[in-house]
Amino acid sequence: MSFNLSSRLAERRAAHLYRQRPLLQTPQGVEVQVDGERLLSFCSNDYLGLANDPRVNDAFVEGVQRWGTGGGASHLVTGHSGAHHALEEALAEFTGRPRALLLSSGYMANMGTVTALVGQGDTVLQDRLNHASLLDAGLLAGARFSRYLHNDADSLRGRLGKAQGNTLVVTDGVFSMDGDLADLPAVCAEASGAGAWVMVDDAHGFGCLGDQGGGIVEHYGLSMEQVPVLVGTLGKAFGTAGAFVAGSEELIETLIQFARPYIYTTSQPPAVAHATLTSLHLLREERWRREHLAALIRRFRTGVDALGLELMDSPTPIQPIVVGSSERALALSAALRQRGILVTAIRPPTVPKGTARLRVTLSATHTEQQVDRLLEALAQAQQELIHE
Ligand SMILES: *Cc1c(COP(=O)(O)O)cnc(C)c1O
């Protein structure tokens, strides 16, 4: 017996599900070079345009000069530097929580938090459309694991009625492939009625939602009692890398003691944390980024509506156009690329079967003219596919 990798790969190719990595030859931005071609990109998560901001870049260089390059050890040994600590304090203040804990990625933050909070005899309930890292964390935790219907408080209530032990209700704040918001007031009301805790992963909300960029909890005005466990990531609107969990003193101490993806890994390069302090400052202060983004979102949605294409119920920079089959999504993406526009097709298993889509994302560094170029290219690409 041996591993038959070639047939597995061939099957994936035949199903139009094969993945390839576009090779980026410029810094992240709206105008990029990919595989030798100059393209206008509508598919990064750099929503505020901070990933290559000169002030963030300068802070990164300054961070290297001050703190060196490597983290050198895990946080519990000698890897917890002043740069990491200062960022944790700033993130605690930003989120209005007593403490925040910095981790190397959002994937690890979710793994670490869920597995530290629930185990055998407990229950974890998740929205069906939660991010893969949350679903993986739920499986790894060893608790009873059940998924409720997307944004459906009745479905959640039914599952809460059967829950055992400590119960954690987990949801994305902004759903990463659809762009819609979790109905957090309803989720929190159901959870508190059942004595459960709510954990929100707001990877796509921080920086985009709320007057200060405080994400979905600022948007809805929710307290720490309502959302005891708040996760944010730093690789999206913050434009750097890493993630944080914000909450009570006891929550953070529990994670430091028990979250294995926090304990058994080298701390992120301290210069990244140092640079993130600058991006946090820009994210809060430069409100024009959120305002411009909101204007682009309105412009794009009005334009797509006029083309008769189907939009999702999204008030965020994630504006997917659902086309159905993987083949059609790939064809539409290819037709846009011929017109100099980069929008990747998102296919199963990342999204449910039959809902392959173009995941258009907007950034504060796009201009209105660039959004118009996208709309024009979409109109042409759609015509071309109809007449094929
Ligand atoms: C991107 C994302 C993550 C993972 O964060 P990384 O820092 O990129 O590992 C987690 N949750 C959600 C909802 C995400 O969109």
Side-chain angles (χ1 to χ4, degrees):
M1 285 298 284
S2 74
F3 290 91
N4 194 343
L5 302 185
S6 57
S7 72
R8 221 176 135 194
L9 292 171
E11 265 171 43
R12 196 168 173 89
R13 228 182 263 279
H16 305 285
L17 295 178
Y18 208 83
R19 265 73 169 167
Q20 266 156 334
R21 303 170 303 168
L23 182 62
L24 189 69
Q25 295 157 316
T26 50
Q28 192 55 261
V30 299
E31 287 176 316
V32 290
Q33 183 171 317
V34 173
D35 299 319
E37 260 182 290
R38 280 258 153 213
L39 297 169
L40 177 58
S41 166
F42 287 94
C43 46
S44 86
N45 298 320
D46 180 23
Y47 303 122
L48 298 182
L50 295 175
N52 187 32
D53 184 281
R55 292 160 296 176
V56 179
N57 292 351
D58 286 348
F60 188 51
V61 172
E62 183 186 281
V64 170
Q65 283 159 353
R66 169 93 201 271
W67 300 100
T69 299
S74 66
H75 283 274
L76 302 196
V77 182
T78 57
H80 185 66
S81 78
H84 299 123
H85 203 73
L87 178 59
E88 289 185 344
E89 288 179 341
L91 288 168
E93 194 266 322
F94 173 54
T95 54
R97 300 325 201 226
R99 281 187 72 183
L101 186 75
L102 180 65
L103 292 100
S104 295
S105 77
Y107 197 106
M108 291 167 74
N110 286 337
M111 278 288 170
T113 305
V114 173
T115 57
L117 292 178
V118 291
Q120 256 182 13
D122 298 325
T123 304
V124 56
L125 302 177
Q126 299 207 19
D127 189 290
R128 279 194 49 178
L129 296 188
N130 274 356
H131 189 261
S133 58
L134 291 170
L135 301 174
D136 291 355
L139 292 172
L140 187 67
R144 287 162 153 252
F145 177 28
S146 164
R147 299 205 271 169
Y148 57 91
L149 298 177
H150 178 52
N151 248 346
D152 187 327
D154 292 337
S155 169
L156 171 59
R157 190 182 316 124
R159 283 163 173 75
L160 280 167
K162 296 187 212 129
Q164 297 180 351
N166 290 326
T167 301
L168 190 64
V169 178
V170 185
T171 180
D172 281 17
V174 173
F175 288 89
S176 54
M177 295 300 140
D178 294 45
D180 58 333
L181 307 188
D183 184 359
L184 274 192
V187 168
C188 293
E190 294 300 338
S192 97
W197 269 20
V198 173
M199 167 173 167
V200 174
D201 170 2
D202 203 19
H204 301 274
F206 277 106
C208 297
L209 298 174
D211 180 56
Q212 290 260 319
I216 196 158
V217 295
E218 187 191 347
H219 175 82
Y220 285 126
L222 297 171
S223 67
M224 188 168 82
E225 284 60 46
Q226 291 166 297
V227 179
V229 188
L230 180 59
V231 175
T233 70
L234 304 171
K236 288 162 182 154
F238 282 86
T240 58
F244 61 93
V245 184
S248 69
E249 179 72 29
E250 278 188 347
L251 172 73
I252 300 306
E253 282 302 315
T254 300
L255 297 180
I256 293 172
Q257 307 306 317
F258 301 111
R260 295 166 63 90
Y262 178 73
I263 299 167
Y264 297 106
T265 196
T266 303
S267 63
Q268 72 168 196
V272 175
H274 188 76
T276 305
L277 274 175
T278 296
S279 74
L280 172 60
H281 175 76
L282 298 174
L283 174 148
R284 294 177 84 166
E285 298 302 321
E286 297 195 340
R287 263 197 204 84
W288 67 263
R289 292 178 190 270
R290 272 182 287 287
E291 287 160 8
H292 180 59
L293 203 42
L296 295 179
I297 293 167
R298 280 195 298 275
R299 193 178 187 91
F300 178 75
R301 290 183 66 86
T302 308
V304 169
D305 200 41
L307 292 178
L309 286 167
E310 196 187 331
L311 272 172
M312 304 197 82
D313 180 23
S314 164
T316 68
I318 303 168
Q319 292 291 331
I321 299 174
V322 175
V323 296
S325 77
S326 296
E327 197 175 1
R328 195 170 158 75
L330 286 174
L332 199 53
S333 171
L336 288 176
R337 183 146 176 178
Q338 278 179 356
R339 291 169 173 80
I341 289 180
L342 184 64
V343 184
T344 39
I346 304 284
R347 292 162 284 164
T350 310
V351 292
K353 264 203 165 129
T355 70
R357 64 200 66 183
L358 291 184
R359 181 174 177 270
V360 171
T361 56
L362 299 166
S363 164
T365 37
H366 282 121
T367 62
E368 293 190 342
Q369 290 73 20
Q370 287 170 330
V371 170
D372 292 347
R373 255 189 75 195
L374 169 62
L375 289 167
E376 203 171 303
L378 269 173
Q380 293 168 357
Q382 192 197 12
Q383 280 301 317
E384 188 176 294
L385 290 192
I386 289 168
H387 292 132
E388 242 172 24

